[in-house]
Amino acid sequence: MKIAMIGHKRVPSREGGIEIAVEELAVRLTAMGHQVDCYNRWQDFGAGAVRLPREYKGIRLIRIPTLASPSLNAFIYSVLAVLRALTGRYDVMHFHAEGPCAMTFLPRLFGIPVVSTIHGLDWQRAKWGRFASRYLLWGERNAARYSDALIVLSNGNQQYFRRTYGRETIYIPNGVNLIPCHEPEEISHRWNLSKNSYILFLSRLVPEKGLHYLISAYKKMDTNKRLVIAGGLTRNNEYVRQIRGMAEDDPRILFTDFVQGRVLEELMSNCCVYVLPSDIEGMSISLLEAMSCGVQCLVSDIEENVDVSGGYAVSFPKGNVAMLQSCLERILSEDGCLHDREGQIAFVREKYSWDYAVGKHLRVYEQVAGKNKAGKN
């Protein structure tokens, strides 16, 4: 089959869960003999632009120019990506996220099968202004109306689309690559971190991830465990300035900036607890990665986090700083005594497989492409 992936930022990258998911799917589909084209967003096209690869592990990378402006980025990219893809003679166009799904009507006009994946209800996120939120809602409605198959990552989103649009969806959870356990070598050299000496927050630094709750709770704690915040420190970002301001008077708090590879694996392997205090999630791959290496996890009690963790993570009421503090203090005092590490690892291995996810996606592609061919005949 010939498949177009539209909606992510860049492949390869770890800029977010969507990028990880698209890469994992595309790499495996390509290895099975299918042709996958990933439509990457391209903003650095000035005189000093870095040359970007045109292929990655057999995936064709197609660069689509867009603007850096968050409010216009997805719209411009989606329009140009779809117009370019209309000439590609694809068996399926697979859209990811609500913003890009606004353009799902275009391939349908040309008789091209459309699959859409809603990674989360993006219009609810605090960072979007009025125009952007309305655009995202338009994308959500178009995904519900024009997609031949609509994929969601949580049971809650299944119920939402059934209740709001009367639309049936297909539940396909993301997979996870098990994080290998490493001794703290690189992180020891860089930041003097040792095993079980720190609490870890590893995510994008955006309001809906709830980092401000964690910093507020941590600063009230009497502990020698450090708080390590691993996420890209975007310049001129109001929320990044806010959280750095909250942390500046506490030398126990460490900002690492964006991490990946061996450093990320060491941070995951050696933390005493991983914390995800989010208000909104789609399906956190970072949480799955932490669980895959047996780390004790503390999450907000939103449905997406509780479902993903399968009862192995401790949860606290979303946005409740006092309860977050209390749960953290209890976990640190127990020192992992009540944590079923082996059961957690086995749970993740059994339930969250990229190979299983790819097989389910391929069956969806074949079904919608087959219906389209039958309709033409």
Side-chain angles (χ1 to χ4, degrees):
M1 299 186 76
K2 189 176 181 183
I3 304 154
M5 296 284 189
I6 298 172
H8 58 285
K9 294 184 179 71
R10 276 160 290 279
V11 166
S13 85
R14 283 190 60 97
E15 293 178 64
I18 294 174
E19 286 69 42
I20 295 171
V22 170
E23 179 179 338
E24 294 292 345
L25 293 174
V27 166
R28 285 168 170 78
L29 287 166
T30 300
M32 295 168 70
H34 304 285
Q35 180 181 331
V36 182
D37 293 352
C38 286
Y39 284 73
N40 284 356
R41 304 187 196 193
W42 182 38
Q43 298 164 3
D44 185 17
F45 39 80
V50 177
R51 289 181 63 86
L52 299 175
R54 297 300 181 108
E55 186 176 294
Y56 171 72
K57 294 186 177 181
I59 306 163
R60 192 163 66 136
L61 305 178
I62 299 173
R63 299 179 296 181
I64 301 298
T66 187
L67 299 180
S69 166
S71 58
L72 294 175
N73 181 298
F75 173 72
I76 294 172
Y77 157 80
S78 302
V79 172
L80 296 180
V82 172
L83 291 177
R84 168 68 175 79
L86 288 175
T87 66
R89 302 178 66 85
Y90 292 106
D91 295 299
V92 175
M93 286 193 196
H94 190 166
F95 289 79
H96 295 265
E98 290 186 335
C101 282
M103 296 297 120
T104 48
F105 69 93
L106 278 172
R108 282 297 300 275
L109 285 175
F110 287 84
I112 302 169
V114 171
V115 174
S116 298
T117 296
I118 302 298
H119 292 258
L121 304 181
D122 293 334
W123 58 270
Q124 296 179 349
R125 301 182 190 275
K127 66 180 179 179
W128 301 119
R130 194 172 181 181
F131 169 78
S133 295
R134 287 183 174 179
Y135 172 70
L136 291 168
L137 269 172
W138 182 46
E140 178 181 287
R141 287 193 291 269
N142 282 0
R145 182 176 180 182
Y146 296 109
S147 301
D148 294 280
L150 184 59
I151 297 169
V152 295
L153 307 182
S154 72
N155 294 317
N157 281 352
Q158 268 198 314
Q159 294 168 16
Y160 172 81
F161 275 92
R162 187 180 297 123
R163 182 176 64 250
T164 307
Y165 302 102
R167 174 66 198 250
E168 292 301 319
T169 58
I170 303 165
Y171 170 60
I172 306 178
N174 286 329
V176 63
N177 292 318
L178 301 183
I179 293 286
C181 292
H182 298 295
E183 292 300 311
E185 297 174 1
E186 185 67 28
I187 63 174
S188 178
H189 295 318
R190 290 194 189 189
W191 304 296
N192 197 30
L193 296 173
S194 57
K195 191 169 186 64
N196 294 326
S197 68
Y198 59 95
I199 299 159
L200 178 63
F201 174 92
L202 193 154
S203 181
R204 290 179 298 120
L205 304 187
V206 291
E208 61 266 21
K209 295 294 183 180
L211 175 56
H212 47 289
Y213 305 135
L214 177 56
I215 294 175
S216 295
Y218 176 78
K219 289 177 69 175
K220 297 173 183 176
M221 294 170 57
D222 181 16
T223 180
N224 60 1
K225 305 285 190 186
R226 300 192 70 181
L227 172 58
V228 175
I229 298 168
L233 296 170
T234 309
R235 293 180 181 179
N236 302 319
N237 181 288
E238 183 179 344
Y239 185 68
V240 171
R241 286 196 296 269
Q242 175 192 333
I243 59 172
R244 297 199 79 161
M246 291 176 68
E248 64 183 359
D249 61 346
D250 193 330
R252 299 173 300 168
I253 300 176
L254 167 68
F255 289 89
T256 69
D257 208 341
F258 177 77
V259 296
Q260 60 184 340
R262 170 79 187 215
V263 173
L264 182 150
E265 291 166 0
E266 285 190 20
L267 284 173
M268 284 287 200
S269 302
N270 295 287
C271 66
C272 57
V273 56
Y274 166 91
V275 186
L276 184 63
S278 41
D279 289 328
I280 301 168
E281 280 293 341
M283 182 179 183
S284 173
I285 291 177
S286 181
L287 172 57
L288 285 176
E289 289 176 336
M291 292 181 65
S292 79
C293 57
V295 169
Q296 172 76 74
C297 297
L298 173 61
V299 300
S300 59
D301 65 350
I302 60 175
E303 184 176 20
E304 291 81 359
N305 288 343
V306 174
D307 281 355
V308 164
S309 56
Y312 285 95
V314 177
S315 65
F316 70 95
K318 178 187 76 172
N320 190 321
V321 172
M323 286 300 296
L324 171 54
Q325 177 188 345
S326 175
C327 289
L328 259 180
E329 289 173 338
R330 187 177 80 246
I331 289 171
L332 295 182
S333 68
E334 292 169 352
D335 197 22
C337 295
L338 303 179
H339 176 48
D340 182 6
R341 183 176 184 276
E342 297 306 319
Q344 176 177 296
I345 294 173
F347 166 77
V348 173
R349 278 187 174 145
E350 290 169 10
K351 185 166 184 181
Y352 299 107
S353 160
W354 279 122
D355 290 335
Y356 171 79
V358 168
K360 291 272 286 185
H361 278 85
L362 189 54
R363 286 192 287 275
V364 171
Y365 296 158
E366 290 169 346
Q367 184 179 30
V368 299
K371 284 184 178 178
N372 183 64
K373 289 178 181 177
K376 288 179 178 179
N377 293 335

